[in-house]
Amino acid sequence: DIRDCPGPLSALTELNAAVKEKFRHLRGRIQELEQMAKEQDKESEKQALLREVENHKKQMLSNQTAWRKANLACKIAIDNSEKDQLLQGRDSLRQRKTTKESLAESASNITESLMGISRMMSQQVQQSEETVQTLANSSRTILEANEEFKSMSGTIQLGRKLITKYNRRELTDKLLIFLALALFLATVLYILKKRLFPFL
């Protein structure tokens, strides 16, 4: 719709306002999906949703770039149309003077508009780079945390095995101590029996 807008600039402004509202709504839905991903218990489901969020963000950035290009093309077309109308309307010296002033003002407006669009696109590119860097850092942090959890899981399993082994060893030691004590008591009883009751 923006690319095919015949003008004037007020109509283009209304279309842009509608597009901004749609982008705001889309950004909110992406944030909701990202929050839902963070609340998942299973790591596989969480990673799948996070990849989906990243794909939506990339698509939104691509749409924003296309939107800005369409804006630039439409403004140039409107400005060219206005210049054509001004050029067709000059019939006298006064009209030519007015046309020159209008063309100068129009050229100035075009220059300011192009500079504004250029600044806006530069800011958007910078924001996109920051977003990509943030996503890369988050992905690296998640991978490091995942590796650390795997290491901790192996350590816990090893500790569990050692505790089980020590428990078995303790049971064996108690049994041996009991048998040694029983043997000792039997020996003492036997000696006492021989000393006190030798005739038995």
Side-chain angles (χ1 to χ4, degrees):
D1 292 341
I2 290 176
R3 192 179 294 108
D4 298 334
C5 179
L9 287 176
S10 58
L12 179 61
T13 302
E14 292 179 0
L15 287 174
N16 280 324
V19 172
K20 288 179 181 178
E21 178 62 24
K22 290 182 181 296
F23 272 121
R24 186 190 66 78
H25 180 68
L26 177 61
R27 193 176 293 109
R29 297 306 302 270
I30 292 176
Q31 290 175 353
E32 291 177 5
L33 182 60
E34 186 174 10
Q35 182 64 31
M36 185 186 301
K38 293 178 180 178
E39 294 174 355
Q40 295 299 314
D41 294 331
K42 290 185 178 180
E43 186 65 24
S44 58
E45 295 179 357
K46 179 178 180 180
Q47 291 300 326
L49 286 176
L50 287 175
R51 284 193 296 270
E52 190 71 20
V53 168
E54 186 175 354
N55 290 336
H56 284 303
K57 286 183 177 179
K58 289 180 180 178
Q59 183 63 41
M60 184 176 68
L61 291 175
S62 175
N63 290 338
Q64 288 176 335
T65 301
W67 170 44
R68 289 183 180 83
K69 289 181 179 179
N71 257 296
L72 179 60
C74 182
K75 286 185 178 181
I76 291 175
I78 292 174
D79 291 335
N80 289 335
S81 176
E82 290 178 353
K83 282 193 290 186
D84 291 340
Q85 291 176 2
L86 289 173
L87 290 173
Q88 292 173 359
R90 57 181 184 179
D91 295 330
S92 64
L93 181 62
R94 183 178 180 182
Q95 287 177 338
R96 285 198 297 270
K97 183 178 180 180
T98 304
T99 301
K100 289 180 180 179
E101 292 176 353
S102 299
L103 286 174
E105 184 179 356
S106 178
S108 177
N109 291 334
I110 292 173
T111 302
E112 291 179 0
S113 177
L114 290 174
M115 290 178 64
I117 293 174
S118 176
R119 285 194 298 268
M120 182 173 61
M121 293 182 69
S122 176
Q123 292 175 356
Q124 187 59 43
V125 169
Q126 184 178 0
Q127 291 178 359
S128 300
E129 291 177 353
E130 293 176 354
T131 301
V132 170
Q133 185 64 32
T134 301
L135 290 173
N137 292 335
S138 299
S139 178
R140 186 164 51 250
T141 302
I142 291 172
L143 290 176
E144 291 175 355
N146 189 26
E147 291 298 327
E148 185 175 351
F149 287 150
K150 288 181 180 178
S151 177
M152 290 176 62
S153 176
T155 303
I156 291 172
Q157 290 179 358
L158 179 61
R160 186 183 296 112
K161 290 180 180 179
L162 290 174
I163 290 172
T164 303
K165 183 177 179 180
Y166 288 146
N167 287 336
R168 292 176 181 174
R169 185 69 177 269
E170 182 181 4
L171 180 61
T172 303
D173 290 344
K174 288 181 178 180
L175 182 59
L176 290 174
I177 291 171
F178 176 75
L179 291 175
L181 182 61
L183 181 61
F184 174 74
L185 292 175
T187 304
V188 170
L189 290 175
Y190 179 76
I191 293 172
L192 289 175
K193 177 184 175 185
K194 290 295 184 181
R195 292 282 181 89
L196 298 176
F197 308 101
F199 50 87
L200 295 178

mmCIF file with all atom_site columns, all heavy atoms in Angstrom, residues 112-138:
data_model
loop_
_atom_site.group_PDB
_atom_site.id
_atom_site.type_symbol
_atom_site.label_atom_id
_atom_site.label_alt_id
_atom_site.label_comp_id
_atom_site.label_asym_id
_atom_site.label_entity_id
_atom_site.label_seq_id
_atom_site.pdbx_PDB_ins_code
_atom_site.Cartn_x
_atom_site.Cartn_y
_atom_site.Cartn_z
_atom_site.occupancy
_atom_site.B_iso_or_equiv
_atom_site.pdbx_formal_charge
_atom_site.auth_seq_id
_atom_site.auth_comp_id
_atom_site.auth_asym_id
_atom_site.auth_atom_id
_atom_site.pdbx_PDB_model_num
ATOM 1   N N   . GLU A 1 112 ? 16.021 17.072  3.044  1.00 0.00 ? 112 GLU A N   1
ATOM 2   C CA  . GLU A 1 112 ? 15.811 16.842  4.476  1.00 0.00 ? 112 GLU A CA  1
ATOM 3   C C   . GLU A 1 112 ? 15.152 15.484  4.721  1.00 0.00 ? 112 GLU A C   1
ATOM 4   O O   . GLU A 1 112 ? 15.504 14.766  5.661  1.00 0.00 ? 112 GLU A O   1
ATOM 5   C CB  . GLU A 1 112 ? 14.937 17.959  5.051  1.00 0.00 ? 112 GLU A CB  1
ATOM 6   C CG  . GLU A 1 112 ? 15.638 19.317  5.092  1.00 0.00 ? 112 GLU A CG  1
ATOM 7   C CD  . GLU A 1 112 ? 14.731 20.406  5.652  1.00 0.00 ? 112 GLU A CD  1
ATOM 8   O OE1 . GLU A 1 112 ? 13.577 20.076  6.001  1.00 0.00 ? 112 GLU A OE1 1
ATOM 9   O OE2 . GLU A 1 112 ? 15.173 21.557  5.741  1.00 0.00 ? 112 GLU A OE2 1
ATOM 10  N N   . SER A 1 113 ? 14.178 15.156  3.849  1.00 0.00 ? 113 SER A N   1
ATOM 11  C CA  . SER A 1 113 ? 13.494 13.870  3.995  1.00 0.00 ? 113 SER A CA  1
ATOM 12  C C   . SER A 1 113 ? 14.467 12.715  3.808  1.00 0.00 ? 113 SER A C   1
ATOM 13  O O   . SER A 1 113 ? 14.473 11.740  4.574  1.00 0.00 ? 113 SER A O   1
ATOM 14  C CB  . SER A 1 113 ? 12.352 13.770  2.980  1.00 0.00 ? 113 SER A CB  1
ATOM 15  O OG  . SER A 1 113 ? 11.726 12.507  3.073  1.00 0.00 ? 113 SER A OG  1
ATOM 16  N N   . LEU A 1 114 ? 15.318 12.815  2.756  1.00 0.00 ? 114 LEU A N   1
ATOM 17  C CA  . LEU A 1 114 ? 16.303 11.756  2.507  1.00 0.00 ? 114 LEU A CA  1
ATOM 18  C C   . LEU A 1 114 ? 17.307 11.643  3.655  1.00 0.00 ? 114 LEU A C   1
ATOM 19  O O   . LEU A 1 114 ? 17.691 10.545  4.058  1.00 0.00 ? 114 LEU A O   1
ATOM 20  C CB  . LEU A 1 114 ? 17.042 12.025  1.189  1.00 0.00 ? 114 LEU A CB  1
ATOM 21  C CG  . LEU A 1 114 ? 16.212 11.844  -0.091 1.00 0.00 ? 114 LEU A CG  1
ATOM 22  C CD1 . LEU A 1 114 ? 17.006 12.287  -1.313 1.00 0.00 ? 114 LEU A CD1 1
ATOM 23  C CD2 . LEU A 1 114 ? 15.766 10.391  -0.238 1.00 0.00 ? 114 LEU A CD2 1
ATOM 24  N N   . MET A 1 115 ? 17.718 12.788  4.183  1.00 0.00 ? 115 MET A N   1
ATOM 25  C CA  . MET A 1 115 ? 18.652 12.759  5.315  1.00 0.00 ? 115 MET A CA  1
ATOM 26  C C   . MET A 1 115 ? 18.004 12.115  6.536  1.00 0.00 ? 115 MET A C   1
ATOM 27  O O   . MET A 1 115 ? 18.625 11.332  7.264  1.00 0.00 ? 115 MET A O   1
ATOM 28  C CB  . MET A 1 115 ? 19.118 14.182  5.646  1.00 0.00 ? 115 MET A CB  1
ATOM 29  C CG  . MET A 1 115 ? 20.042 14.791  4.597  1.00 0.00 ? 115 MET A CG  1
ATOM 30  S SD  . MET A 1 115 ? 20.533 16.478  4.993  1.00 0.00 ? 115 MET A SD  1
ATOM 31  C CE  . MET A 1 115 ? 21.460 16.209  6.503  1.00 0.00 ? 115 MET A CE  1
ATOM 32  N N   . GLY A 1 116 ? 16.701 12.442  6.752  1.00 0.00 ? 116 GLY A N   1
ATOM 33  C CA  . GLY A 1 116 ? 15.984 11.835  7.878  1.00 0.00 ? 116 GLY A CA  1
ATOM 34  C C   . GLY A 1 116 ? 15.859 10.334  7.724  1.00 0.00 ? 116 GLY A C   1
ATOM 35  O O   . GLY A 1 116 ? 16.067 9.557   8.673  1.00 0.00 ? 116 GLY A O   1
ATOM 36  N N   . ILE A 1 117 ? 15.518 9.910   6.482  1.00 0.00 ? 117 ILE A N   1
ATOM 37  C CA  . ILE A 1 117 ? 15.400 8.463   6.227  1.00 0.00 ? 117 ILE A CA  1
ATOM 38  C C   . ILE A 1 117 ? 16.747 7.784   6.397  1.00 0.00 ? 117 ILE A C   1
ATOM 39  O O   . ILE A 1 117 ? 16.847 6.681   6.942  1.00 0.00 ? 117 ILE A O   1
ATOM 40  C CB  . ILE A 1 117 ? 14.834 8.226   4.814  1.00 0.00 ? 117 ILE A CB  1
ATOM 41  C CG1 . ILE A 1 117 ? 13.382 8.706   4.743  1.00 0.00 ? 117 ILE A CG1 1
ATOM 42  C CG2 . ILE A 1 117 ? 14.918 6.763   4.436  1.00 0.00 ? 117 ILE A CG2 1
ATOM 43  C CD1 . ILE A 1 117 ? 12.782 8.649   3.371  1.00 0.00 ? 117 ILE A CD1 1
ATOM 44  N N   . SER A 1 118 ? 17.818 8.458   5.918  1.00 0.00 ? 118 SER A N   1
ATOM 45  C CA  . SER A 1 118 ? 19.159 7.882   6.055  1.00 0.00 ? 118 SER A CA  1
ATOM 46  C C   . SER A 1 118 ? 19.537 7.707   7.521  1.00 0.00 ? 118 SER A C   1
ATOM 47  O O   . SER A 1 118 ? 20.075 6.663   7.925  1.00 0.00 ? 118 SER A O   1
ATOM 48  C CB  . SER A 1 118 ? 20.182 8.778   5.350  1.00 0.00 ? 118 SER A CB  1
ATOM 49  O OG  . SER A 1 118 ? 21.488 8.288   5.538  1.00 0.00 ? 118 SER A OG  1
ATOM 50  N N   . ARG A 1 119 ? 19.242 8.730   8.335  1.00 0.00 ? 119 ARG A N   1
ATOM 51  C CA  . ARG A 1 119 ? 19.541 8.625   9.773  1.00 0.00 ? 119 ARG A CA  1
ATOM 52  C C   . ARG A 1 119 ? 18.716 7.511   10.412 1.00 0.00 ? 119 ARG A C   1
ATOM 53  O O   . ARG A 1 119 ? 19.227 6.738   11.239 1.00 0.00 ? 119 ARG A O   1
ATOM 54  C CB  . ARG A 1 119 ? 19.258 9.960   10.460 1.00 0.00 ? 119 ARG A CB  1
ATOM 55  C CG  . ARG A 1 119 ? 20.302 11.030  10.197 1.00 0.00 ? 119 ARG A CG  1
ATOM 56  C CD  . ARG A 1 119 ? 20.140 12.192  11.160 1.00 0.00 ? 119 ARG A CD  1
ATOM 57  N NE  . ARG A 1 119 ? 18.841 12.848  10.994 1.00 0.00 ? 119 ARG A NE  1
ATOM 58  C CZ  . ARG A 1 119 ? 18.624 13.882  10.193 1.00 0.00 ? 119 ARG A CZ  1
ATOM 59  N NH1 . ARG A 1 119 ? 19.619 14.370  9.458  1.00 0.00 ? 119 ARG A NH1 1
ATOM 60  N NH2 . ARG A 1 119 ? 17.430 14.424  10.097 1.00 0.00 ? 119 ARG A NH2 1
ATOM 61  N N   . MET A 1 120 ? 17.445 7.429   10.020 1.00 0.00 ? 120 MET A N   1
ATOM 62  C CA  . MET A 1 120 ? 16.579 6.403   10.596 1.00 0.00 ? 120 MET A CA  1
ATOM 63  C C   . MET A 1 120 ? 17.069 5.006   10.231 1.00 0.00 ? 120 MET A C   1
ATOM 64  O O   . MET A 1 120 ? 17.109 4.101   11.076 1.00 0.00 ? 120 MET A O   1
ATOM 65  C CB  . MET A 1 120 ? 15.141 6.604   10.098 1.00 0.00 ? 120 MET A CB  1
ATOM 66  C CG  . MET A 1 120 ? 14.127 5.623   10.665 1.00 0.00 ? 120 MET A CG  1
ATOM 67  S SD  . MET A 1 120 ? 12.446 6.037   10.203 1.00 0.00 ? 120 MET A SD  1
ATOM 68  C CE  . MET A 1 120 ? 12.540 5.913   8.410  1.00 0.00 ? 120 MET A CE  1
ATOM 69  N N   . MET A 1 121 ? 17.474 4.826   8.957  1.00 0.00 ? 121 MET A N   1
ATOM 70  C CA  . MET A 1 121 ? 17.978 3.527   8.532  1.00 0.00 ? 121 MET A CA  1
ATOM 71  C C   . MET A 1 121 ? 19.294 3.191   9.227  1.00 0.00 ? 121 MET A C   1
ATOM 72  O O   . MET A 1 121 ? 19.543 2.044   9.600  1.00 0.00 ? 121 MET A O   1
ATOM 73  C CB  . MET A 1 121 ? 18.154 3.499   7.007  1.00 0.00 ? 121 MET A CB  1
ATOM 74  C CG  . MET A 1 121 ? 16.853 3.578   6.232  1.00 0.00 ? 121 MET A CG  1
ATOM 75  S SD  . MET A 1 121 ? 17.087 3.490   4.450  1.00 0.00 ? 121 MET A SD  1
ATOM 76  C CE  . MET A 1 121 ? 17.622 1.788   4.286  1.00 0.00 ? 121 MET A CE  1
ATOM 77  N N   . SER A 1 122 ? 20.153 4.205   9.423  1.00 0.00 ? 122 SER A N   1
ATOM 78  C CA  . SER A 1 122 ? 21.418 3.971   10.127 1.00 0.00 ? 122 SER A CA  1
ATOM 79  C C   . SER A 1 122 ? 21.165 3.535   11.570 1.00 0.00 ? 122 SER A C   1
ATOM 80  O O   . SER A 1 122 ? 21.805 2.599   12.076 1.00 0.00 ? 122 SER A O   1
ATOM 81  C CB  . SER A 1 122 ? 22.261 5.247   10.106 1.00 0.00 ? 122 SER A CB  1
ATOM 82  O OG  . SER A 1 122 ? 23.443 5.079   10.857 1.00 0.00 ? 122 SER A OG  1
ATOM 83  N N   . GLN A 1 123 ? 20.212 4.211   12.235 1.00 0.00 ? 123 GLN A N   1
ATOM 84  C CA  . GLN A 1 123 ? 19.881 3.821   13.606 1.00 0.00 ? 123 GLN A CA  1
ATOM 85  C C   . GLN A 1 123 ? 19.310 2.416   13.652 1.00 0.00 ? 123 GLN A C   1
ATOM 86  O O   . GLN A 1 123 ? 19.630 1.633   14.560 1.00 0.00 ? 123 GLN A O   1
ATOM 87  C CB  . GLN A 1 123 ? 18.873 4.818   14.194 1.00 0.00 ? 123 GLN A CB  1
ATOM 88  C CG  . GLN A 1 123 ? 19.445 6.204   14.431 1.00 0.00 ? 123 GLN A CG  1
ATOM 89  C CD  . GLN A 1 123 ? 18.389 7.186   14.887 1.00 0.00 ? 123 GLN A CD  1
ATOM 90  O OE1 . GLN A 1 123 ? 17.202 6.852   14.962 1.00 0.00 ? 123 GLN A OE1 1
ATOM 91  N NE2 . GLN A 1 123 ? 18.801 8.411   15.186 1.00 0.00 ? 123 GLN A NE2 1
ATOM 92  N N   . GLN A 1 124 ? 18.476 2.075   12.651 1.00 0.00 ? 124 GLN A N   1
ATOM 93  C CA  . GLN A 1 124 ? 17.880 0.736   12.637 1.00 0.00 ? 124 GLN A CA  1
ATOM 94  C C   . GLN A 1 124 ? 18.936 -0.334  12.403 1.00 0.00 ? 124 GLN A C   1
ATOM 95  O O   . GLN A 1 124 ? 18.892 -1.412  13.010 1.00 0.00 ? 124 GLN A O   1
ATOM 96  C CB  . GLN A 1 124 ? 16.814 0.662   11.538 1.00 0.00 ? 124 GLN A CB  1
ATOM 97  C CG  . GLN A 1 124 ? 16.030 -0.631  11.553 1.00 0.00 ? 124 GLN A CG  1
ATOM 98  C CD  . GLN A 1 124 ? 15.318 -0.839  12.879 1.00 0.00 ? 124 GLN A CD  1
ATOM 99  O OE1 . GLN A 1 124 ? 14.742 0.080   13.425 1.00 0.00 ? 124 GLN A OE1 1
ATOM 100 N NE2 . GLN A 1 124 ? 15.361 -2.047  13.410 1.00 0.00 ? 124 GLN A NE2 1
ATOM 101 N N   . VAL A 1 125 ? 19.899 -0.039  11.507 1.00 0.00 ? 125 VAL A N   1
ATOM 102 C CA  . VAL A 1 125 ? 20.995 -1.000  11.280 1.00 0.00 ? 125 VAL A CA  1
ATOM 103 C C   . VAL A 1 125 ? 21.794 -1.204  12.554 1.00 0.00 ? 125 VAL A C   1
ATOM 104 O O   . VAL A 1 125 ? 22.159 -2.332  12.911 1.00 0.00 ? 125 VAL A O   1
ATOM 105 C CB  . VAL A 1 125 ? 21.896 -0.498  10.129 1.00 0.00 ? 125 VAL A CB  1
ATOM 106 C CG1 . VAL A 1 125 ? 23.178 -1.321  10.057 1.00 0.00 ? 125 VAL A CG1 1
ATOM 107 C CG2 . VAL A 1 125 ? 21.157 -0.575  8.800  1.00 0.00 ? 125 VAL A CG2 1
ATOM 108 N N   . GLN A 1 126 ? 22.070 -0.106  13.262 1.00 0.00 ? 126 GLN A N   1
ATOM 109 C CA  . GLN A 1 126 ? 22.809 -0.228  14.527 1.00 0.00 ? 126 GLN A CA  1
ATOM 110 C C   . GLN A 1 126 ? 22.024 -1.040  15.549 1.00 0.00 ? 126 GLN A C   1
ATOM 111 O O   . GLN A 1 126 ? 22.582 -1.894  16.240 1.00 0.00 ? 126 GLN A O   1
ATOM 112 C CB  . GLN A 1 126 ? 23.104 1.170   15.070 1.00 0.00 ? 126 GLN A CB  1
ATOM 113 C CG  . GLN A 1 126 ? 23.966 1.147   16.337 1.00 0.00 ? 126 GLN A CG  1
ATOM 114 C CD  . GLN A 1 126 ? 24.295 2.549   16.823 1.00 0.00 ? 126 GLN A CD  1
ATOM 115 O OE1 . GLN A 1 126 ? 23.895 3.524   16.219 1.00 0.00 ? 126 GLN A OE1 1
ATOM 116 N NE2 . GLN A 1 126 ? 25.024 2.637   17.907 1.00 0.00 ? 126 GLN A NE2 1
ATOM 117 N N   . GLN A 1 127 ? 20.710 -0.776  15.627 1.00 0.00 ? 127 GLN A N   1
ATOM 118 C CA  . GLN A 1 127 ? 19.887 -1.547  16.552 1.00 0.00 ? 127 GLN A CA  1
ATOM 119 C C   . GLN A 1 127 ? 19.853 -3.016  16.164 1.00 0.00 ? 127 GLN A C   1
ATOM 120 O O   . GLN A 1 127 ? 19.878 -3.900  17.032 1.00 0.00 ? 127 GLN A O   1
ATOM 121 C CB  . GLN A 1 127 ? 18.462 -0.981  16.576 1.00 0.00 ? 127 GLN A CB  1
ATOM 122 C CG  . GLN A 1 127 ? 18.361 0.387   17.229 1.00 0.00 ? 127 GLN A CG  1
ATOM 123 C CD  . GLN A 1 127 ? 16.946 0.937   17.183 1.00 0.00 ? 127 GLN A CD  1
ATOM 124 O OE1 . GLN A 1 127 ? 16.045 0.313   16.648 1.00 0.00 ? 127 GLN A OE1 1
ATOM 125 N NE2 . GLN A 1 127 ? 16.750 2.119   17.749 1.00 0.00 ? 127 GLN A NE2 1
ATOM 126 N N   . SER A 1 128 ? 19.815 -3.283  14.854 1.00 0.00 ? 128 SER A N   1
ATOM 127 C CA  . SER A 1 128 ? 19.814 -4.682  14.401 1.00 0.00 ? 128 SER A CA  1
ATOM 128 C C   . SER A 1 128 ? 21.119 -5.370  14.780 1.00 0.00 ? 128 SER A C   1
ATOM 129 O O   . SER A 1 128 ? 21.115 -6.521  15.229 1.00 0.00 ? 128 SER A O   1
ATOM 130 C CB  . SER A 1 128 ? 19.621 -4.733  12.880 1.00 0.00 ? 128 SER A CB  1
ATOM 131 O OG  . SER A 1 128 ? 18.393 -4.148  12.511 1.00 0.00 ? 128 SER A OG  1
ATOM 132 N N   . GLU A 1 129 ? 22.251 -4.659  14.610 1.00 0.00 ? 129 GLU A N   1
ATOM 133 C CA  . GLU A 1 129 ? 23.540 -5.246  14.992 1.00 0.00 ? 129 GLU A CA  1
ATOM 134 C C   . GLU A 1 129 ? 23.589 -5.527  16.487 1.00 0.00 ? 129 GLU A C   1
ATOM 135 O O   . GLU A 1 129 ? 24.072 -6.581  16.929 1.00 0.00 ? 129 GLU A O   1
ATOM 136 C CB  . GLU A 1 129 ? 24.672 -4.298  14.596 1.00 0.00 ? 129 GLU A CB  1
ATOM 137 C CG  . GLU A 1 129 ? 24.874 -4.170  13.089 1.00 0.00 ? 129 GLU A CG  1
ATOM 138 C CD  . GLU A 1 129 ? 25.953 -3.167  12.738 1.00 0.00 ? 129 GLU A CD  1
ATOM 139 O OE1 . GLU A 1 129 ? 26.438 -2.482  13.670 1.00 0.00 ? 129 GLU A OE1 1
ATOM 140 O OE2 . GLU A 1 129 ? 26.319 -3.077  11.544 1.00 0.00 ? 129 GLU A OE2 1
ATOM 141 N N   . GLU A 1 130 ? 23.068 -4.585  17.279 1.00 0.00 ? 130 GLU A N   1
ATOM 142 C CA  . GLU A 1 130 ? 23.057 -4.801  18.729 1.00 0.00 ? 130 GLU A CA  1
ATOM 143 C C   . GLU A 1 130 ? 22.166 -5.984  19.092 1.00 0.00 ? 130 GLU A C   1
ATOM 144 O O   . GLU A 1 130 ? 22.490 -6.775  19.981 1.00 0.00 ? 130 GLU A O   1
ATOM 145 C CB  . GLU A 1 130 ? 22.575 -3.530  19.438 1.00 0.00 ? 130 GLU A CB  1
ATOM 146 C CG  . GLU A 1 130 ? 23.544 -2.360  19.319 1.00 0.00 ? 130 GLU A CG  1
ATOM 147 C CD  . GLU A 1 130 ? 22.984 -1.091  19.941 1.00 0.00 ? 130 GLU A CD  1
ATOM 148 O OE1 . GLU A 1 130 ? 21.793 -1.104  20.353 1.00 0.00 ? 130 GLU A OE1 1
ATOM 149 O OE2 . GLU A 1 130 ? 23.722 -0.089  20.010 1.00 0.00 ? 130 GLU A OE2 1
ATOM 150 N N   . THR A 1 131 ? 21.014 -6.105  18.387 1.00 0.00 ? 131 THR A N   1
ATOM 151 C CA  . THR A 1 131 ? 20.107 -7.223  18.664 1.00 0.00 ? 131 THR A CA  1
ATOM 152 C C   . THR A 1 131 ? 20.762 -8.554  18.336 1.00 0.00 ? 131 THR A C   1
ATOM 153 O O   . THR A 1 131 ? 20.679 -9.520  19.105 1.00 0.00 ? 131 THR A O   1
ATOM 154 C CB  . THR A 1 131 ? 18.814 -7.065  17.846 1.00 0.00 ? 131 THR A CB  1
ATOM 155 O OG1 . THR A 1 131 ? 18.190 -5.819  18.179 1.00 0.00 ? 131 THR A OG1 1
ATOM 156 C CG2 . THR A 1 131 ? 17.846 -8.201  18.140 1.00 0.00 ? 131 THR A CG2 1
ATOM 157 N N   . VAL A 1 132 ? 21.434 -8.607  17.173 1.00 0.00 ? 132 VAL A N   1
ATOM 158 C CA  . VAL A 1 132 ? 22.117 -9.846  16.780 1.00 0.00 ? 132 VAL A CA  1
ATOM 159 C C   . VAL A 1 132 ? 23.208 -10.195 17.775 1.00 0.00 ? 132 VAL A C   1
ATOM 160 O O   . VAL A 1 132 ? 23.392 -11.359 18.163 1.00 0.00 ? 132 VAL A O   1
ATOM 161 C CB  . VAL A 1 132 ? 22.691 -9.701  15.353 1.00 0.00 ? 132 VAL A CB  1
ATOM 162 C CG1 . VAL A 1 132 ? 23.602 -10.874 15.014 1.00 0.00 ? 132 VAL A CG1 1
ATOM 163 C CG2 . VAL A 1 132 ? 21.564 -9.603  14.329 1.00 0.00 ? 132 VAL A CG2 1
ATOM 164 N N   . GLN A 1 133 ? 23.972 -9.161  18.232 1.00 0.00 ? 133 GLN A N   1
ATOM 165 C CA  . GLN A 1 133 ? 25.034 -9.410  19.212 1.00 0.00 ? 133 GLN A CA  1
ATOM 166 C C   . GLN A 1 133 ? 24.460 -9.914  20.529 1.00 0.00 ? 133 GLN A C   1
ATOM 167 O O   . GLN A 1 133 ? 25.010 -10.832 21.156 1.00 0.00 ? 133 GLN A O   1
ATOM 168 C CB  . GLN A 1 133 ? 25.818 -8.106  19.446 1.00 0.00 ? 133 GLN A CB  1
ATOM 169 C CG  . GLN A 1 133 ? 27.031 -8.266  20.358 1.00 0.00 ? 133 GLN A CG  1
ATOM 170 C CD  . GLN A 1 133 ? 28.080 -9.177  19.782 1.00 0.00 ? 133 GLN A CD  1
ATOM 171 O OE1 . GLN A 1 133 ? 28.239 -9.243  18.576 1.00 0.00 ? 133 GLN A OE1 1
ATOM 172 N NE2 . GLN A 1 133 ? 28.777 -9.923  20.623 1.00 0.00 ? 133 GLN A NE2 1
ATOM 173 N N   . THR A 1 134 ? 23.326 -9.320  20.939 1.00 0.00 ? 134 THR A N   1
ATOM 174 C CA  . THR A 1 134 ? 22.680 -9.763  22.179 1.00 0.00 ? 134 THR A CA  1
ATOM 175 C C   . THR A 1 134 ? 22.209 -11.206 22.063 1.00 0.00 ? 134 THR A C   1
ATOM 176 O O   . THR A 1 134 ? 22.383 -12.018 22.989 1.00 0.00 ? 134 THR A O   1
ATOM 177 C CB  . THR A 1 134 ? 21.484 -8.852  22.498 1.00 0.00 ? 134 THR A CB  1
ATOM 178 O OG1 . THR A 1 134 ? 21.944 -7.503  22.629 1.00 0.00 ? 134 THR A OG1 1
ATOM 179 C CG2 . THR A 1 134 ? 20.818 -9.274  23.799 1.00 0.00 ? 134 THR A CG2 1
ATOM 180 N N   . LEU A 1 135 ? 21.619 -11.544 20.906 1.00 0.00 ? 135 LEU A N   1
ATOM 181 C CA  . LEU A 1 135 ? 21.167 -12.928 20.694 1.00 0.00 ? 135 LEU A CA  1
ATOM 182 C C   . LEU A 1 135 ? 22.343 -13.895 20.700 1.00 0.00 ? 135 LEU A C   1
ATOM 183 O O   . LEU A 1 135 ? 22.248 -15.004 21.257 1.00 0.00 ? 135 LEU A O   1
ATOM 184 C CB  . LEU A 1 135 ? 20.413 -13.028 19.364 1.00 0.00 ? 135 LEU A CB  1
ATOM 185 C CG  . LEU A 1 135 ? 19.037 -12.352 19.318 1.00 0.00 ? 135 LEU A CG  1
ATOM 186 C CD1 . LEU A 1 135 ? 18.484 -12.376 17.896 1.00 0.00 ? 135 LEU A CD1 1
ATOM 187 C CD2 . LEU A 1 135 ? 18.064 -13.034 20.266 1.00 0.00 ? 135 LEU A CD2 1
ATOM 188 N N   . ALA A 1 136 ? 23.476 -13.477 20.086 1.00 0.00 ? 136 ALA A N   1
ATOM 189 C CA  . ALA A 1 136 ? 24.655 -14.354 20.071 1.00 0.00 ? 136 ALA A CA  1
ATOM 190 C C   . ALA A 1 136 ? 25.188 -14.563 21.486 1.00 0.00 ? 136 ALA A C   1
ATOM 191 O O   . ALA A 1 136 ? 25.545 -15.683 21.879 1.00 0.00 ? 136 ALA A O   1
ATOM 192 C CB  . ALA A 1 136 ? 25.737 -13.746 19.179 1.00 0.00 ? 136 ALA A CB  1
ATOM 193 N N   . ASN A 1 137 ? 25.237 -13.478 22.270 1.00 0.00 ? 137 ASN A N   1
ATOM 194 C CA  . ASN A 1 137 ? 25.712 -13.605 23.658 1.00 0.00 ? 137 ASN A CA  1
ATOM 195 C C   . ASN A 1 137 ? 24.788 -14.495 24.483 1.00 0.00 ? 137 ASN A C   1
ATOM 196 O O   . ASN A 1 137 ? 25.240 -15.322 25.286 1.00 0.00 ? 137 ASN A O   1
ATOM 197 C CB  . ASN A 1 137 ? 25.816 -12.220 24.304 1.00 0.00 ? 137 ASN A CB  1
ATOM 198 C CG  . ASN A 1 137 ? 26.913 -11.379 23.693 1.00 0.00 ? 137 ASN A CG  1
ATOM 199 O OD1 . ASN A 1 137 ? 27.881 -11.926 23.132 1.00 0.00 ? 137 ASN A OD1 1
ATOM 200 N ND2 . ASN A 1 137 ? 26.803 -10.070 23.786 1.00 0.00 ? 137 ASN A ND2 1
ATOM 201 N N   . SER A 1 138 ? 23.471 -14.333 24.277 1.00 0.00 ? 138 SER A N   1
ATOM 202 C CA  . SER A 1 138 ? 22.514 -15.155 25.021 1.00 0.00 ? 138 SER A CA  1
ATOM 203 C C   . SER A 1 138 ? 22.662 -16.625 24.654 1.00 0.00 ? 138 SER A C   1
ATOM 204 O O   . SER A 1 138 ? 22.630 -17.504 25.511 1.00 0.00 ? 138 SER A O   1
ATOM 205 C CB  . SER A 1 138 ? 21.083 -14.678 24.725 1.00 0.00 ? 138 SER A CB  1
ATOM 206 O OG  . SER A 1 138 ? 20.907 -13.345 25.117 1.00 0.00 ? 138 SER A OG  1
#
